[in-house]
Amino acid sequence: MAPRDERPPSSAPRTPNVLVIEDDVDLCRMLADGLAAAGFDVHVACTAVAGLAEAREREPDVVLLDLTLPDLDGLSLLARLQGAERTASIPVVVVSDRADDATRSAALAAGARAFVAKPLDMGALLATLRPHLAARRADRPGPGWERAIAQGVSRLVHADLDAERVCRAVLDGAMEILSLAAATLWLVEGEWLVLRLQSAMYEPYVRAHPRIRLGEGLIGLVARDHRPLTVADVSTDLRVLNRAVFAGLGLRGFIAVPLLHDDRLLGVLSGARTTPGHFGDEDVQMLAALAEHAATVLAQVRLLGESERRRATAEALAALAAEVSAAHEPETVLDRVVAYVKQLVEAEIAYLEVLKPPEGQATILKLVGARGTRMARIAPAEGQGIDGWVMRHDRPFRTDDYLTEPRITHDFDDVVREEGVTAWAAVPLRARGRLVGVLGAVRRGPRPFTADDERMLVQLAAQTAVALDNAWLYREATRARAQWEATVDHLHEGLALVDGNRRILRINRTLASWVGRHPAELTGRVLDEVLDAYAGEEAHARLAEAQSGDGPRLATVEVPSLGRTLEETLAPVAQAAAGVQGLAVMLRDVTEARRMQEQLLRSEKLASLGEMLAGVAHELNNPLTGVLGFAQLLEAQVTDPAHREDLRKLAQEAMRAARIVQQLLRFARQHAPERRATDLNQLAAAAALAVEVEARAAGITVETDLTPDLPVSFLDPHQVQQAVVALVTNARQAMTAAGRTGRIRIATRQVAGSLELEVSDEGPGIPPNILPRIFDPFFTTKGPREGTGLGLSLCHSIVAAHGGEIWADGTPGAGATFHVRLPIMLPPGSADAAPRRPLARAAVPLRVLVADDEPAVRDLACDALAARGHQVEAVADGEAALRRLSEAPFDVLLVDIRMPGLDGRAAVERLRRPDGAGAPRRIVVMTGDSIRAETRRWIEATRLPVLDKPFTLDALAAAVEG
Ligand code: ADP
């Protein structure tokens, strides 16, 4: 017997099947030939028992029964056939050589459909048989399995073309028809058969065996050969892949049939029962018939699914196109794209990656569906993993199982494993002919991606690339525009673009801010309304002329409403595309520049004035030194108190004159401050003390409000104190002159990198009209004997020399406040100058050499020092000094810096050389203010004691005696 599992299925359309039960061999042969020739499938039985068995087995469409049989009479057999469920409905035609009516009636009464008498006429016999065949097919319920199939199929029909329900109907039908213990339904997906549905028993094994390759195992075999298969015992058959599973479930007999539609394999339906042994032909036929119907329905479902999917895809692509062209933000595009990928290719993870051009690495811009966070950070270089493959080959790629895929490198396997990924599809993203990234879809289940999925991804990628490119371009353009606007807005120049009717098309923030508006408020308005400078006929003409001209025009415009002077440039702008002739109006605020210019002019004037003053002061310096000195000397000698008093007044006047000269000189020369570590609070306190007595006499209190622990700054304490005293003095004078009493407040504080000092009073304040001029030299509102107009200008130059600022404010009628801001200076590299020594000390007789070309100074110094008991000699220049020093020993050299011939500096330098012979123990230099800054620096560097001219005798003595 041929192995039953190799038997071809008998699923072809059936030919009418006739069973002949007849003991006459010749007649049998004649009937068999004749019926076969007429297109019948004929089986023959020569005994009643054989006939009965054949009838049961084959369930023929019609039985031709001889009434005289060797083992049992025909009517008895007829009764048997009618009595058994399986054969009851088979039409039986009785053949008899007795043609009498009794025999005929008996046969018909027993259930025969027709009675035919021998000898047989083939034509008459066929004519008798046919209606019964037709009747059986048309009217009578078919045999059990056909009913079952019919039921299964009707289930399928009622399954509504819903894939899930169709599969369920097929599975349930199979279970019921064959009384199976377990059943599975597998569908073809690419190279795989993927388990689509299973009966409850198989449920626990779904995870372990979700898919099978074509050709593998029993299911794979059926799929490969397109033929049904039965196996007597799966728990021992070597072809079975998962024998243990079947054994574990106690499954033995196995059956599987292909789901074929138009010769195309859609899947495999399989079942098993717990008893061993082959399924019979009938079972195979039944399952095959069910499978055939199921395949037809599934094919329809698929077709429908595909067209549905195509429709959905087309819709999605259209929607994507609409959405992304409306969305200018790349972020939105990305969101939509990955959502569509996920939905359309039924992926669990979808992502979009872009290339970073220089390194060629890809970065994930958007990812959905990942469980962990690591996947989003994957950054494949060309050649790495699937995306790297796509980047290198610029072609789509898909794999059914990432982890075992041999064509790719496995740089990211740990992440892939962590995500439980199996199938993966990735396609290149190309924009303007260039690879810009990768679009990918990932699944975790057994289902691989198909060629259709890939096509869909390619379409999505094309759409996406365009959209993203647009979004990027748009973003670039927006950024560029924003950048440009920011630039234009941050210009110091005001900028407006107007059309031929002077209507504002664009205006920058600067210009808008001049009129206290936002650009948006001014766009569309007429320039005349915004700036009154453009209101008149003349301005209109100017604009019109500029617009018709071919180059920029410059002009200066006063805009009284803004209190500004503007420099205007008008440039015609041809906006060819818009067909508009426009005009660019550029306005530069030159108010400040003009003011600066004026100031510069003034300071130039001041500089030349200073030159002259310096000369005058210098000339006055020496005679004043003489007057002062001699007056003091005489005072010491004169005994008459009245004369002494006169001499004292003379000396006082001379001192006053000397101070004025000093001020003049400081103002004129504005020499560099002599900086040393200074506590501004101390200066402020000292200034307060200096004016306190006079102030109190006038009913004014001087208060200080000093911020403690101000940093020590390197300032010229004398200069700064002078400035503070000048400010406080002015305050006191202002209050006194206005007959007011009250407070003067000196405050200090630190502001960022500066020290600030404020002097405020409760005087009349400063009228606005004179406020701009108070720092001018010689500007005064006081009488000739009271004011010089130099106080504030000196303050100004001192503060300026310190790199600081001074300004005044206050409310007219309610006092003035002067603010001084001095940047905090750190110690210079050189050491601090030696501290001043106290004046006057007991005289130890010294040998002193005085070198000065001014006879008055020379004589004064000689007389004064001699009066203190010193031995004094004098010379008129540097050479004479050096000569005299080499001749005789001296303790002290008092030397003037500015002398004809060898000057003081040169002389001192020679003396301080290692070979400098006769150098005295102490050298004191005398300076007038007319020495150059460079010389002053030199003196500072030498650290020699300095005696400033004009000097008091005490200062002279202190300088010489040390
Ligand atoms: P002077 O004090 O010799 O007039 P200044 O340069 O010190 O010269 O001052 C110039 C002018 O500034 C003064 O004449 C006065 O009009 C004005 N001024 C200065 N300080 C004050 C003050 N505290 N209150 C009101 N006016 C002041």
Side-chain angles (χ1 to χ4, degrees):
M1 191 174 134
R4 294 182 61 134
D5 52 45
E6 298 298 324
R7 215 164 45 189
S10 35
S11 58
R14 281 158 45 90
T15 48
N17 190 343
V18 181
L19 175 63
V20 178
I21 307 173
E22 167 63 63
D23 58 348
D24 182 340
V25 177
D26 288 336
L27 186 60
C28 272
R29 192 169 294 130
M30 193 275 280
L31 280 172
D33 291 346
L35 289 169
F40 286 89
D41 194 358
V42 189
H43 292 268
V44 179
C46 299
T47 63
V49 172
L52 190 60
E54 283 286 342
R56 281 199 183 128
E57 164 91 4
R58 298 194 187 278
E59 293 184 52
D61 294 320
V62 64
V63 173
L64 213 56
L65 175 65
D66 187 1
L67 282 184
T68 53
L69 290 167
D71 48 352
L72 193 75
D73 79 271
L75 287 181
S76 303
L77 179 58
L78 179 58
R80 290 276 188 92
L81 287 172
Q82 305 262 290
E85 199 204 322
R86 288 186 77 142
T87 50
S89 59
I90 303 173
V92 178
V93 173
V94 168
V95 180
S96 174
D97 39 8
R98 280 182 286 155
D100 58 274
D101 278 342
T103 312
R104 174 188 297 259
S105 323
L108 291 176
R113 300 289 174 84
F115 185 91
V116 183
K118 295 178 185 172
L120 293 175
D121 168 10
M122 212 49 209
L125 180 65
L126 289 172
T128 310
L129 286 178
R130 283 224 165 86
H132 297 297
L133 279 173
R136 168 167 160 85
R137 300 203 155 198
D139 305 330
R140 297 189 347 190
W145 69 268
E146 282 205 343
R147 255 200 321 277
I149 292 291
Q151 272 168 17
V153 170
S154 89
R155 258 188 234 254
L156 283 175
V157 170
H158 286 108
D160 250 2
L161 294 184
D162 169 281
E164 187 64 39
R165 282 205 290 269
V166 168
C167 291
R168 174 54 63 192
V170 172
L171 198 78
D172 289 350
M175 294 274 289
E176 195 178 296
I177 293 164
L178 298 191
S179 306
L180 299 170
T184 53
L185 178 66
W186 306 75
L187 293 183
V188 175
E189 301 262 11
E191 297 292 295
W192 297 87
L193 280 160
V194 174
L195 182 60
R196 184 64 164 75
L197 199 66
Q198 63 289 323
S199 59
M201 192 186 245
Y202 203 74
E203 217 73 67
Y205 301 92
V206 170
R207 265 180 185 287
H209 310 287
R211 61 182 183 181
I212 297 171
R213 270 187 201 283
L214 294 184
E216 265 178 12
L218 298 180
I219 303 288
L221 211 61
V222 171
R224 190 193 63 193
D225 298 344
H226 289 202
R227 285 213 276 161
L229 176 73
T230 75
V231 174
D233 190 349
V234 270
S235 66
T236 57
D237 193 299
L238 291 180
R239 294 169 301 179
V240 177
L241 278 183
N242 311 300
R243 275 199 303 278
V245 171
F246 287 117
L249 291 171
L251 295 174
R252 313 294 291 276
F254 173 88
I255 183 168
V257 293
L259 262 59
L260 291 164
H261 180 73
D262 287 343
D263 287 339
R264 199 159 67 90
L265 182 78
L266 299 185
V268 174
L269 177 62
S270 91
R273 59 188 177 205
T274 50
T275 49
H278 282 289
F279 281 83
D281 270 4
E282 202 171 83
D283 295 335
V284 175
Q285 281 168 27
M286 277 196 266
L287 203 61
L290 181 66
E292 196 183 310
H293 283 289
T296 309
V297 177
L298 274 178
Q300 275 178 17
V301 169
R302 278 217 171 163
L303 217 66
L304 200 76
E306 259 156 44
S307 73
E308 178 65 21
R309 202 164 108 150
R310 245 176 241 128
R311 189 185 56 77
T313 309
E315 271 176 12
L317 287 173
L320 179 65
E323 281 175 33
V324 296
S325 64
H328 297 311
E329 275 309 306
E331 194 49 33
T332 317
V333 176
L334 291 172
D335 278 341
R336 301 308 302 149
V337 167
V338 291
Y340 278 121
V341 167
K342 205 163 172 277
Q343 177 199 328
L344 290 178
V345 300
E346 290 166 23
E348 268 126 310
I349 302 176
Y351 66 92
L352 189 146
E353 210 167 53
V354 289
L355 289 179
K356 289 273 148 68
E359 317 90 61
Q361 256 204 344
T363 317
I364 289 191
L365 281 191
K366 196 87 207 172
L367 170 100
V368 286
R371 293 184 186 131
T373 54
R374 288 172 72 200
M375 187 150 176
R377 292 200 298 271
I378 287 184
E382 194 186 299
Q384 282 187 323
I386 281 192
D387 299 332
W389 192 99
V390 171
M391 279 147 63
R392 170 163 296 165
H393 297 91
D394 199 0
R395 294 209 299 274
F397 185 97
R398 75 194 137 98
T399 177
D400 299 340
D401 192 2
Y402 186 100
L403 290 173
T404 60
E405 176 59 56
R407 290 170 295 172
I408 58 164
T409 69
H410 285 270
D411 304 79
F412 311 111
D413 276 10
D414 46 342
V415 183
V416 169
R417 210 168 286 125
E418 187 180 288
E419 286 290 339
V421 165
T422 47
W424 195 310
V427 299
L429 211 56
R430 325 187 84 256
R432 282 178 284 171
R434 205 161 48 81
L435 181 77
V436 294
V438 175
L439 186 64
V442 176
R443 278 184 192 156
R444 294 200 177 90
R447 266 180 74 202
F449 287 108
T450 60
D452 267 354
D453 293 326
E454 190 177 287
R455 266 194 294 281
M456 180 113 56
L457 274 182
V458 169
Q459 284 186 43
L460 280 168
Q463 196 86 49
T464 305
V466 173
L468 262 189
D469 200 41
N470 283 344
W472 280 330
L473 284 178
Y474 181 79
R475 185 168 67 182
E476 268 317 298
T478 315
R479 274 198 193 150
R481 189 182 150 145
Q483 230 168 33
W484 171 247
E485 278 179 0
T487 310
V488 167
D489 280 342
H490 282 98
L491 285 178
H492 286 298
E493 281 78 13
L495 202 64
L497 189 65
V498 298
D499 67 10
N501 300 319
R502 298 186 305 284
R503 202 164 289 283
I504 297 172
L505 303 171
R506 299 281 283 276
I507 185 164
N508 77 345
R509 215 176 267 270
T510 315
L511 182 44
S513 74
W514 288 347
V515 293
R517 294 298 174 87
H518 189 269
E521 295 176 80
L522 301 179
T523 315
R525 294 190 36 197
V526 178
L527 192 60
D528 313 19
E529 298 169 10
V530 175
L531 284 178
D532 50 8
Y534 291 100
E537 286 291 319
E538 197 190 323
H540 293 182
R542 197 169 71 243
L543 293 179
E545 195 187 323
Q547 187 161 348
S548 56
D550 49 9
R553 279 155 206 265
L554 272 169
T556 304
V557 225
E558 291 291 338
V559 186
S561 62
L562 296 180
R564 287 170 195 266
T565 308
L566 301 175
E567 202 172 79
E568 170 203 74
T569 309
L570 300 176
V573 178
Q575 291 184 306
V580 182
Q581 278 288 315
L583 191 64
V585 182
M586 280 165 275
L587 296 169
R588 206 152 68 85
D589 186 350
V590 291
T591 318
E592 195 64 15
R594 288 283 154 90
R595 211 173 57 79
M596 300 266 281
Q597 245 170 21
E598 277 160 21
Q599 247 176 23
L600 192 71
L601 211 67
R602 196 163 61 207
S603 67
E604 273 167 4
K605 272 189 210 152
L606 283 179
S608 50
L609 176 69
E611 288 289 311
M612 188 195 82
L613 284 177
V616 172
H618 183 67
E619 290 309 315
L620 282 174
N621 226 2
N622 289 326
L624 273 176
T625 306
V627 171
L628 183 60
F630 286 118
Q632 280 184 312
L633 273 182
L634 269 179
E635 192 193 331
Q637 289 160 21
V638 171
T639 47
D640 179 355
H643 287 153
R644 281 178 68 105
E645 181 54 25
D646 287 348
L647 282 170
R648 206 179 52 75
K649 281 186 185 148
L650 177 62
Q652 251 177 13
E653 287 302 303
M655 276 300 279
R656 214 169 82 82
R659 273 201 296 276
I660 293 174
V661 169
Q662 202 74 23
Q663 276 192 339
L664 278 178
L665 269 173
R666 282 185 201 278
F667 165 72
R669 280 296 171 209
Q670 298 182 5
H671 59 75
E674 289 176 50
R675 292 178 184 272
R676 68 197 67 211
T678 304
D679 179 354
L680 185 66
N681 280 344
Q682 254 177 33
L683 293 188
L689 271 182
V691 294
E692 205 184 8
V693 179
E694 271 178 304
R696 204 180 300 137
I700 297 165
T701 53
V702 182
E703 289 174 6
T704 54
D705 176 7
L706 309 177
T707 303
D709 300 326
L710 280 186
V712 167
S713 177
F714 271 66
L715 310 169
D716 184 322
H718 293 288
Q719 289 189 359
V720 175
Q721 180 153 13
Q722 203 178 3
V724 181
V725 168
L727 294 176
V728 181
T729 306
N730 272 350
R732 182 189 57 75
Q733 286 176 347
M735 289 174 71
T736 315
R740 297 195 180 189
T741 56
R743 295 181 313 159
I744 294 173
R745 193 170 145 273
I746 310 174
T748 58
R749 73 171 82 89
Q750 187 181 354
V751 180
S754 299
L755 296 176
E756 212 175 86
L757 181 136
E758 261 174 34
V759 176
S760 40
D761 62 56
E762 296 175 345
I766 307 165
N769 60 325
I770 69 158
L771 191 61
R773 298 170 58 199
I774 56 172
F775 293 104
D776 289 354
F778 305 114
F779 175 81
T780 179
T781 55
K782 298 167 191 169
R785 274 205 57 82
E786 298 156 85
T788 59
L790 285 174
L792 287 182
S793 85
L794 184 61
C795 283
H796 189 271
S797 48
I798 288 172
V799 173
H802 280 80
E805 287 174 280
I806 181 169
W807 70 99
D809 55 29
T811 330
T817 301
F818 282 81
H819 307 263
V820 175
R821 186 173 285 176
L822 300 166
I824 296 173
M825 290 287 291
L826 297 174
S830 61
D832 192 2
R836 293 279 160 105
R837 289 168 173 276
L839 290 176
R841 264 178 27 176
V844 176
L846 298 167
R847 292 170 59 86
V848 183
L849 182 64
V850 178
D852 197 319
D853 60 323
E854 254 316 304
V857 175
R858 222 164 44 218
D859 295 351
L860 172 67
C862 285
D863 290 358
L865 291 172
R868 287 187 67 85
H870 302 300
Q871 263 185 49
V872 194
E873 283 182 36
V875 291
D877 59 62
E879 264 142 49
L882 290 179
R883 203 177 319 119
R884 192 68 198 106
L885 286 169
S886 67
E887 292 163 358
F890 283 87
D891 298 308
V892 182
L893 169 66
L894 178 63
V895 58
D896 188 24
I897 290 289
R898 229 164 82 150
M899 288 186 292
L902 189 71
D903 68 3
R905 177 174 169 175
V908 170
E909 275 170 357
R910 287 221 196 141
L911 284 172
R912 284 164 61 102
R913 283 212 298 249
D915 61 337
R921 190 167 50 79
R922 182 176 173 81
I923 298 173
V924 178
V925 293
M926 283 184 284
T927 65
D929 274 285
S930 53
I931 58 167
R932 288 174 302 158
E934 189 214 344
T935 309
R936 193 165 284 280
R937 278 199 293 279
W938 171 80
I939 295 171
E940 274 173 30
T942 61
R943 303 223 216 156
L944 291 173
V946 179
L947 182 63
D948 282 319
K949 289 190 208 173
F951 46 76
T952 63
L953 296 187
D954 279 351
L956 172 68
V960 169
E961 290 159 14

